[in-house]
Amino acid sequence: MPDINQKLDLLYDLLVDNLETFLSELKDLILNPHQIANTNKFASLISELKNPKLINPLLEKISLGEKRDVWLTDFIYAAIQLLDESSESDSFDCPENLIVKLEDWILNNKGELSWKAANLLKFCESESAEKIQLKKLEERGDFFLTYVECIIGLWRNNKGKYETLFEQIANDETRDEKLREFCSANIKK
């Protein structure tokens, strides 16, 4: 194991002297995930770098993904983390096919993929995203965090428009208790 000075030299070389080259290599890996031995570790690394220049290649690759791709949920996680840390001055492009893919994964799946797709969708401000979130909220039976992400997306983009809906969910005894509590706690904010 290298000593701390060797690690510092390596980090300096990558993150200071050769940052653009390093980012370019990371972008190439994002677009070719079959070259990555452990996409979970890779996604964690991408997230920790907090570099918004990696958002667009992630979104591009996700928009081309299929639910069977082993890297997909890891890349969605990394994109969510980077988007969550980005500032308003950071811009990203929502590939045309991304909303279509997210819609399929949210409405036709349950569990982790649906939840992460809903989490990513909340960053897309569009009428299509709003319709998907509302449609998902009409159903029951998925992981409650999937519904929470849909609510957060609606709040982010149009809170006043949906306050009545959030109150209805908070008072609907057929809904998951945690979801109802979430809505109740946040209606007052």
Side-chain angles (χ1 to χ4, degrees):
M1 173 80 90
D3 74 359
I4 190 64
N5 286 317
Q6 289 174 314
K7 291 177 185 177
L8 290 172
D9 286 342
L10 177 62
L11 286 173
Y12 186 87
D13 183 50
L14 288 174
L15 300 177
V16 177
D17 283 346
N18 296 297
L19 180 61
E20 290 307 314
T21 301
F22 182 56
L23 289 175
S24 178
E25 290 171 347
L26 290 176
K27 289 175 188 178
D28 287 343
L29 279 173
I30 289 168
L31 298 175
N32 297 291
H34 62 279
Q35 296 177 354
I36 304 167
N38 185 328
T39 57
N40 188 277
K41 281 185 174 180
F42 181 75
S44 294
L45 171 67
I46 296 291
S47 300
E48 287 300 315
L49 289 174
K50 296 178 178 31
N51 192 310
K53 291 180 180 180
L54 299 172
I55 294 172
N56 283 335
L58 281 167
L59 295 179
E60 180 183 335
K61 190 61 183 177
I62 291 165
S63 75
L64 300 172
E66 299 296 330
K67 74 178 192 176
R68 69 182 174 277
D69 291 327
V70 296
W71 51 265
L72 182 63
T73 57
D74 294 331
F75 279 25
I76 293 173
Y77 165 82
I80 291 164
Q81 297 303 307
L82 291 175
L83 287 163
D84 203 35
E85 293 287 328
S86 67
S87 71
E88 289 189 25
S89 65
D90 295 323
S91 64
F92 66 94
D93 300 318
C94 188
E96 203 171 294
N97 196 37
L98 182 62
I99 299 286
V100 173
K101 291 284 183 155
L102 294 175
E103 178 178 23
D104 177 45
W105 298 332
I106 292 167
L107 299 178
N108 298 321
N109 293 278
K110 305 247 186 267
E112 182 183 22
L113 180 58
S114 180
W115 166 43
K116 286 185 177 178
N119 196 335
L120 183 56
L121 183 67
K122 74 182 176 200
F123 295 100
C124 303
E125 294 181 40
S126 71
E127 190 175 309
S128 297
E130 190 175 335
K131 287 179 181 177
I132 296 164
Q133 291 157 335
L134 288 169
K135 189 167 184 177
K136 184 65 176 183
L137 288 171
E138 290 175 3
E139 72 174 48
R140 308 284 198 284
D142 201 348
F143 187 44
F144 88 95
L145 286 175
T146 304
Y147 303 114
V148 166
E149 294 302 338
C150 289
I151 289 169
I152 292 170
L154 292 170
W155 251 314
R156 284 172 62 102
N157 303 315
N158 271 319
K159 182 179 180 182
K161 185 175 176 180
Y162 294 108
E163 282 189 44
T164 303
L165 173 64
F166 304 146
E167 288 174 10
Q168 289 172 344
I169 293 171
N171 295 320
D172 185 348
E173 293 186 13
T174 66
R175 291 288 193 162
D176 182 281
E177 183 67 29
K178 293 175 193 169
L179 180 62
R180 293 177 60 218
E181 289 171 8
F182 175 82
C183 285
S184 292
N186 287 287
I187 290 170
K188 298 166 183 86
K189 291 183 179 180

